[in-house]
Amino acid sequence: MLESYDVIVIGAGPGGYVCAIRCAQNGLRTGIVEREFLGGVCLNVGCIPSKAMISAAHFFHRLKHDASAMGIHVNGVSLEFSKLKEWKQSVCQRMSQGVSTLLKGNKVDVFWGDAQFTSDKELKVVSSSKETVVLKAKNFVIATGSRPVSIPGFEYDETHVLSSTGALNLDQLPDHLLIIGGGYIGLEIGGYLADLGSKITVLEAGSSFLTSVVDPDCAQVVVKKMQKKGVTLITEALAKSYRKTKNGKVILEYVHKNRTEQIEGDKILVTVGRKPNTDAPLLKNLNLTRTEQGFIKTDPQRRTSIGHIFAIGDIAGQPMLAHKASYEGILVADVLAGKNRVYDAKCVPSVVFTDPEIASVGLTETQAKSQGYPVLVGKFPFAANGRAVSMMHTEGFVKMVADQKNHVVLGVHIVGPEASNLISEAALAIEMGARLEDLALTIHPHPTLGETLMEAAEVTLGHGIHILQPEGTKRSTMSRPIPESPG
Ligand code: FAD
Ligand code: NAI
């Protein structure tokens, strides 16, 4: 069978399925090829299941530890892990089913199977029952994502050595999980398992946690909270090997500050990064240019070195985040429909769903300084926000970084309650070239966590109302031009 399309998208993750829907909306005859699950890593074994587990674990932990302070006495709170797993699966299934409905409703044809380019104009799709479909298209979009990096001596067997997928699908709560890698996944999964009652040890090769992705002040708040909950966090630790014991446990050997140490646990979770699926058979017959890091090289329209083939999402470069993939998906669909667009987003917000959450957008203080900006920096603590106090969530702060010359907001870094939901206002501010005054003079409803952004802008200008700033703090004049014709 041979089918011919305007565009074929390969991979139905948040890059691919979003691209396919927008292509169809733009009037293009569109097909999508997927070999495993609609929604990709994100909806099935990534963002969504991990956030479902995190929500449940926070709820459980709060019931056990915080409720009584509010006079709520809950007796016999217990965890039925198998039921939790079932619920988490139902969340993923619902999301994946939603993608199926959207693709169908937008008249995108779905082809199930493993795709392989036979030439730059033709794709062979082999289904699990070995049936083959050949697809021809004027344009192709590669959105085939990434997979976990493995380290020698710790090959994934999903029994003793787990990838994130294995860790999200555990049948039982481990007594003691050993995690190699203290980045996004290690701290998110380690964090929720600790909330559910596991003992957690994290071995991180670097000298601190999350430093490559977030402001170090923010990371410090999370590190302290994890330690308070009993998580063991070890930096400068290099995992060397492991062996299985007779009673089904593992003993992991690692080098810490030139000393060889051993630690026993139930299982090992390896989370040392992800790599693009560029070595897959899919691409073997295409000579696509790669970047030094191994991603498919693209231009600002996400065109690869073969002009009618595009690449988006994790396979096309950092940051490997779902919302970046979707943004690129829509961009490419618009380019294919003849719109004159390029990748021109000023910033990509990121969130680490730890307790508390860390959300960042734009430049950190260090990055702004190293780029030569004279900077103004201000911090507003959640402890001074009425809503945070009433929620018993007072850890953390909003940190604002602005250009001293014109007060344009360069970066916002939040560690605290609902940081993930608060960061979008900051992203909009940066996209719109907002100044500190724009945030400070926007009326924010009270009492809300969102007020912390307004207050952080005020603190950065030297005008904090709900915190005392040191005597001698320079106060900037705060004004916005009056519009020439109001209304
Ligand atoms: P993917 O989602 O990886 O989708 C690629 C799809 O292509 C897959 O469905 C795959 O089956 C299919 N495919 C691959 N090869 C072929 C082939 N040859 N033929 C047919 N189909 C093929 N990001 C966030 O922004 N927020 C989060 O909270 C977050 N949490 C995460 C938690 C975990 C545990 C993990 C692992 C990742 C998380 N991420 C998160 C990252 C996010 O999942 C990825 O950035 C995102 O899924 C990338 O989207 P994509 O469309 O590029 O690829
Ligand atoms: P990561 O890059 O976030 O962290 C990996 C960590 O492992 C780093 O701190 C690194 O120093 C450490 N490391 C590397 N080699 C090591 C070794 N041999 N021994 C010990 N430590 C070692 O990678 P992670 O956590 O695997 O996540 C992959 C990607 O998935 C992220 O970069 C992000 O793009 C995405 N993701 C996003 C999430 C979100 O948006 N909330 C959640 C989960 C994943």
Side-chain angles (χ1 to χ4, degrees):
M1 187 171 80
L2 190 136
E3 297 253 12
S4 200
Y5 284 85
D6 290 323
V7 54
I8 286 289
V9 180
I10 309 147
Y17 85 76
V18 168
C19 181
I21 290 173
R22 181 53 61 88
C23 283
Q25 288 171 344
N26 284 343
L28 301 167
R29 184 166 188 237
T30 308
I32 191 166
V33 186
E34 172 56 50
R35 67 177 172 202
E36 200 174 355
F37 31 38
L38 297 178
V41 166
C42 180
L43 268 56
N44 296 280
V45 291
C47 327
I48 297 300
S50 60
K51 268 78 255 181
M53 294 300 280
I54 286 168
S55 301
H58 281 189
F59 189 35
F60 180 67
H61 191 263
R62 291 211 86 193
L63 278 178
K64 279 184 95 169
H65 298 275
D66 295 345
S68 62
M70 294 174 174
I72 302 166
H73 301 288
V74 193
N75 295 321
V77 182
S78 63
L79 176 67
E80 192 183 337
F81 197 75
S82 56
K83 177 85 183 154
L84 170 57
K85 182 175 174 180
E86 226 174 79
W87 171 75
K88 182 261 309 176
Q89 269 322 109
S90 74
V91 172
C92 296
Q93 271 155 14
R94 182 177 168 164
M95 299 306 295
S96 185
Q97 185 54 47
V99 173
S100 172
T101 308
L102 290 171
L103 289 169
K104 204 170 166 195
N106 280 288
K107 302 196 171 38
V108 175
D109 293 338
V110 179
F111 296 92
W112 284 101
D114 205 338
Q116 232 187 78
F117 279 100
T118 44
S119 73
D120 66 3
K121 304 257 168 25
E122 208 176 84
L123 201 65
K124 183 176 81 179
V125 182
V126 184
S127 73
S128 51
S129 56
K130 303 287 172 227
E131 278 168 49
T132 301
V133 178
V134 177
L135 300 171
K136 271 188 181 299
K138 290 182 196 139
N139 297 284
F140 293 92
V141 183
I142 302 168
T144 47
S146 63
R147 64 179 186 280
V149 168
S150 62
I151 43 178
F154 294 89
E155 281 70 32
Y156 298 111
D157 62 7
E158 305 299 0
T159 305
H160 297 93
V161 180
L162 308 174
S163 67
S164 54
T165 302
L168 286 165
N169 274 316
L170 286 168
D171 289 323
Q172 277 178 341
L173 189 67
D175 286 334
H176 187 186
L177 184 69
L178 311 174
I179 302 180
I180 305 176
Y184 274 91
I185 301 180
L187 295 195
E188 285 189 5
I189 294 183
Y192 82 66
L193 287 173
D195 278 350
L196 293 175
S198 290
K199 182 171 157 46
I200 300 290
T201 301
V202 186
L203 304 174
E204 163 59 44
S207 57
S208 51
F209 293 90
L210 291 171
T211 31
S212 58
V213 284
V214 299
D215 178 287
D217 291 353
C218 294
Q220 223 14 60
V221 174
V222 168
V223 164
K224 278 201 183 133
K225 178 95 185 260
M226 288 187 90
Q227 285 168 335
K228 205 169 139 193
K229 286 182 180 175
V231 175
T232 307
L233 297 169
I234 307 172
T235 53
E236 294 173 56
L238 268 183
K240 287 290 169 200
S241 60
Y242 83 97
R243 64 189 153 83
K244 300 166 200 164
T245 67
K246 281 191 193 128
N247 57 356
K249 305 233 177 226
V250 289
I251 295 181
L252 189 160
E253 193 168 277
Y254 66 100
V255 176
H256 182 230
K257 298 186 176 157
N258 295 324
R259 283 174 60 126
T260 300
E261 311 271 3
Q262 290 195 341
I263 186 165
E264 187 181 282
D266 296 307
K267 290 172 191 296
I268 300 167
L269 165 61
V270 179
T271 58
V272 294
R274 293 178 65 83
K275 62 177 178 182
N277 287 326
T278 35
D279 49 356
L282 166 76
L283 305 175
K284 137 173 139 218
N285 295 319
L286 293 184
N287 195 13
L288 293 176
T289 309
R290 314 274 163 87
T291 67
E292 266 175 34
Q293 298 79 29
F295 296 102
I296 297 179
K297 195 169 183 175
T298 61
D299 73 4
Q301 291 190 318
R302 295 297 173 259
R303 241 178 248 278
T304 67
S305 50
I306 302 175
H308 62 284
I309 300 182
F310 294 72
I312 58 172
D314 282 9
I315 202 156
Q318 296 281 4
M320 289 199 256
L321 297 174
H323 39 284
K324 194 260 332 187
S326 299
Y327 181 90
E328 291 176 330
I330 289 178
L331 164 73
V332 167
D334 285 351
V335 170
L336 288 174
K339 295 184 190 163
N340 186 17
R341 283 196 60 196
V342 291
Y343 186 100
D344 57 1
K346 279 194 196 157
C347 55
V348 182
S350 64
V351 179
V352 193
F353 291 83
T354 39
D355 176 23
E357 296 174 348
I358 305 177
S360 304
V361 65
L363 301 178
T364 61
E365 184 180 350
T366 314
Q367 287 166 341
K369 282 179 180 160
S370 68
Q371 290 185 22
Y373 286 100
V375 294
L376 278 179
V377 176
K379 255 188 195 179
F380 186 80
F382 280 99
N385 172 270
R387 186 77 182 115
V389 175
S390 68
M391 291 164 71
M392 268 181 73
H393 270 316
T394 51
E395 300 113 340
F397 52 80
V398 174
K399 180 172 176 180
M400 211 156 273
V401 182
D403 185 338
Q404 196 176 24
K405 288 194 306 292
N406 50 22
H407 297 179
V408 168
V409 180
L410 300 173
V412 179
H413 309 279
I414 308 176
V415 57
E418 300 290 335
S420 55
N421 289 317
L422 297 175
I423 201 67
S424 299
E425 178 181 347
L428 181 65
I430 295 177
E431 272 314 317
M432 306 283 294
R435 296 162 64 219
L436 291 169
E437 287 79 352
D438 295 312
L439 284 167
L441 295 174
T442 295
I443 299 177
H444 286 65
H446 177 74
T448 60
L449 298 171
E451 287 172 287
T452 56
L453 278 134
M454 172 181 73
E455 301 242 26
E458 286 186 320
V459 170
T460 314
L461 289 162
H463 295 127
I465 297 285
H466 290 99
I467 59 163
L468 294 173
Q469 294 189 255
E471 256 182 64
T473 298
K474 192 168 172 292
R475 300 192 200 283
S476 309
T477 46
M478 192 161 70
S479 65
R480 279 192 300 197
I482 297 169
E484 272 169 27
S485 52

